[in-house]
């Protein structure tokens, strides 16, 4: 088991990465579970596969699971579901010193984390992410949110978990498409700041996607370590360091909005496309070599992820996609910073990007390649 600390003043916690952690849930979570009845918020699919294991594990510690099921998909990150969940937690008598367990992917983690952030002005929660994307990204760092009509993750709070248990065994039941979508976030850590890790993924990505235990543990632990360092430096995204984690997300969120935040384009797939667009736009501006942009495209293609927005068959213009970006959380005084690249492993925040130019670039991409 790899143990990665997330060092924050007064709120430090551990991310534990390994196989079989769900079966030892009571042992790992014992310091935080003071109740006999433990509220567990679960994705329905995750509960189907892992609910019995969670119940047995809690039973070893003399605890009983109280389940709240969440429908899979971004549609559950809504005001309506947040209201239902917080009402249920209050019915369960959850107090500020209690902890709620979140079992599932990023949707469940975001929803549960936000509910715990606002319930009685803040109670604790433990993340048990069951998707690759959640294990390497959304479960770590304390960003919690729901979606709104205006866009993705626009209503939320920073609320750190007390513990993250990334059980690699849960990925055995993950559909291949979801596995590939999560791998996009793994690639992201190499692209934004670790050229050596990116090169390792070029050689070992197929083993990671095939769920080879050693390759998978190295990929997840390296990704989590990278995020933990950035979060420790810039917890609330005030200095700009944490903004690097948004590489590919400005373009990607626009594509998600255009496709209705649906299964037509999964979040990780949108991030993969977004990184490619960021690389090509960087090359267009003379910041990145064409060879480097093509190298990223090859890595995305090799993982079976989408690499061309033209293939999505969108009936929109580049201006339509750029308009979605106006709701981006990073918008500041009417200016939207963009994550661009100087090389593989060297991302930076550019504050001189004109959305009109981005719209023209996206028009070209919608018709090219």
């Amino acid at each position: 088991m790899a143990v990665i600390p997330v060092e924050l003043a007064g709120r430090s916690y551990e991310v534990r990465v390994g196989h079989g952690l769900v079966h030892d849930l009571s042992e790992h979570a014992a310091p935080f579970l003071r109740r006999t009845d433990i509220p567990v918020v679960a994705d329905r699919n995750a509960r189907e596969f892992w609910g019995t294991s969670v119940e047995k594990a809690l039973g070893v510690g003399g605890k009983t699971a109280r389940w709240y099921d969440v429908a899979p998909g971004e549609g559950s990150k809504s005001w309506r579901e947040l209201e239902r969940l917080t009402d249920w937690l209050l019915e369960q008598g959850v107090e500020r010193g209690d902890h709620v367990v979140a079992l599932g992917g990023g949707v469940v983690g975001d929803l549960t984390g936000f509910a715990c952030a606002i319930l009685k002005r803040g109670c604790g929660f433990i993340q048990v992410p069951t998707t690759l994307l959640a294990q390497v990204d959304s479960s770590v760092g304390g960003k919690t949110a729901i979606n709104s009509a205006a866009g993705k993750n626009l209503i939320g709070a920073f609320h750190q978990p007390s513990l993250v248990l990334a059980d690699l065994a849960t990925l055995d039941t993950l559909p291949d498409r979801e596995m590939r979508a999560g791998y996009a976030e793994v690639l992201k850590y190499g692209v934004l700041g670790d050229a050596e890790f990116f090169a390792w993924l070029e050689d070992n990505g197929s083993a990671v996607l095939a769920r080879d235990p050693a390759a998978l543990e190295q990929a997840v632990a390296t990704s989590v370590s990278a995020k933990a360092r950035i979060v420790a430096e810039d917890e609330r995204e005030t200095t700009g360091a944490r903004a690097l984690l948004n590489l590919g997300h400005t373009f990607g969120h626009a594509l998600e909005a255009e496709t209705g935040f649906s299964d037509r384009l999964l979040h990780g797939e949108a991030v993969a496309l977004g990184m490619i667009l960021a690389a090509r736009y960087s090359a267009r501006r003379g910041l990145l070599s064409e060879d480097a942009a093509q190298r990223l495209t090859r890595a995305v293609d090799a993982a079976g992820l989408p690499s061309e927005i033209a293939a999505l068959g969108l009936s929109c213009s580049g201006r339509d996609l750029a308009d979605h970006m106006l709701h981006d959380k990073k918008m500041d005084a009417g200016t939207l910073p963009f994550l661009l690249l100087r090389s593989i492993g060297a991302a930076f925040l550019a504050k001189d990007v004109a959305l009109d130019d981005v719209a023209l670039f996206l028009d070209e991409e919608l018709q090219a390649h």
Side-chain angles (χ1 to χ4, degrees):
M1 181 179 70
V3 179
I4 299 104
V6 182
E7 303 286 359
L8 299 169
R11 296 178 311 285
S12 296
Y13 58 94
E14 291 182 346
V15 181
R16 301 174 187 175
V17 180
H19 284 80
L21 304 187
V22 167
H23 298 293
D24 297 322
L25 176 60
S26 278
E27 178 182 346
H28 289 289
F32 309 105
L33 301 182
R34 67 180 195 175
R35 296 165 54 101
T36 299
D37 295 336
I38 308 302
V40 183
V41 183
D43 174 282
R44 287 175 185 163
N45 293 332
R47 182 181 177 184
E48 178 183 350
F49 287 115
W50 298 100
T52 300
S53 297
V54 167
E55 289 176 348
K56 288 181 178 178
L58 290 174
V60 169
K63 310 291 186 182
T64 301
R66 290 289 178 258
W67 294 96
Y68 182 95
D69 290 342
V70 176
E74 285 285 328
S76 290
K77 286 174 56 172
S78 66
W79 283 111
R80 181 181 180 184
E81 193 65 40
L82 179 67
E83 181 181 17
R84 287 181 57 221
L85 175 56
T86 50
D87 283 345
W88 181 81
L89 291 172
L90 291 171
E91 290 170 3
Q92 301 303 307
V94 173
E95 299 176 354
R96 292 181 66 178
D98 292 333
H99 281 73
V100 178
V101 175
L103 176 75
V107 168
V108 164
D110 278 7
L111 175 68
T112 305
F114 188 30
C116 290
I118 60 177
L119 191 82
K120 298 184 178 179
R121 298 190 177 92
C123 67
F125 76 113
I126 295 169
Q127 291 266 27
V128 185
T130 59
T131 68
L132 180 57
L133 191 150
Q135 290 185 1
V136 301
D137 185 61
S138 60
S139 68
V140 182
K143 280 188 176 181
T144 70
I146 59 172
N147 302 329
S148 75
K152 184 181 175 71
N153 294 334
L154 296 181
I155 313 297
F158 287 95
H159 189 56
Q160 301 291 344
S162 297
L163 176 68
V164 180
L165 298 176
D167 187 346
L168 302 176
T170 61
L171 303 182
D172 290 343
T173 57
L174 193 66
D176 288 344
R177 185 186 179 194
E178 295 279 358
M179 189 72 182
R180 292 192 297 269
Y183 182 76
E185 293 280 2
V186 176
L187 271 176
K188 181 191 73 176
Y189 291 106
V191 178
L192 70 86
D194 192 340
E196 184 177 337
F197 182 47
F198 183 84
W200 183 86
L201 289 170
E202 287 179 305
D203 293 335
N204 296 278
S206 58
V208 174
L209 289 167
R211 301 167 175 83
D212 173 80
L216 189 56
E217 182 167 338
Q218 182 166 342
V220 173
T222 301
S223 300
V224 170
S225 295
K227 183 161 190 180
R229 288 193 298 271
I230 293 172
V231 170
E233 180 181 345
D234 183 17
E235 180 185 0
R236 293 178 177 264
E237 208 168 78
T238 55
T239 68
R242 186 164 183 169
L244 293 175
L245 296 170
N246 291 313
L247 178 65
H249 286 61
T250 299
F251 287 109
H253 282 171
L255 293 169
E256 286 185 275
E258 187 62 31
T259 53
F261 300 107
S262 67
D263 287 347
R264 184 177 174 188
L265 185 69
L266 300 180
H267 175 66
E269 294 168 343
V271 169
L273 277 166
M275 286 193 294
I276 287 176
L277 292 171
R280 289 176 180 165
Y281 187 70
S282 299
R284 186 176 189 262
R285 293 180 54 138
L287 299 166
L288 180 73
S289 71
E290 290 286 352
D291 285 346
Q294 291 171 8
R295 182 183 174 196
L296 175 56
T297 301
R298 287 194 298 272
V300 168
D301 282 335
L305 288 159
S307 60
E308 306 294 343
I309 61 172
L312 296 178
L314 301 177
S315 57
C316 68
S317 66
R319 170 52 59 187
D320 293 330
L321 291 174
D323 284 347
H324 287 304
M325 298 175 185
L326 293 171
H327 299 293
D328 194 286
K329 298 184 296 300
K330 298 185 293 300
M331 185 71 75
D332 183 23
T335 300
L336 178 59
F338 272 77
L339 269 297
L340 301 180
L341 295 167
R342 292 193 177 94
S343 66
I344 298 293
F348 73 100
L349 196 63
K351 298 183 178 181
D352 61 347
V353 176
L355 275 182
D356 286 345
D357 189 49
V358 172
L360 290 174
F361 163 71
L362 288 170
D363 272 330
E364 296 168 2
E365 287 293 318
L366 283 164
Q367 301 170 32
H369 303 285

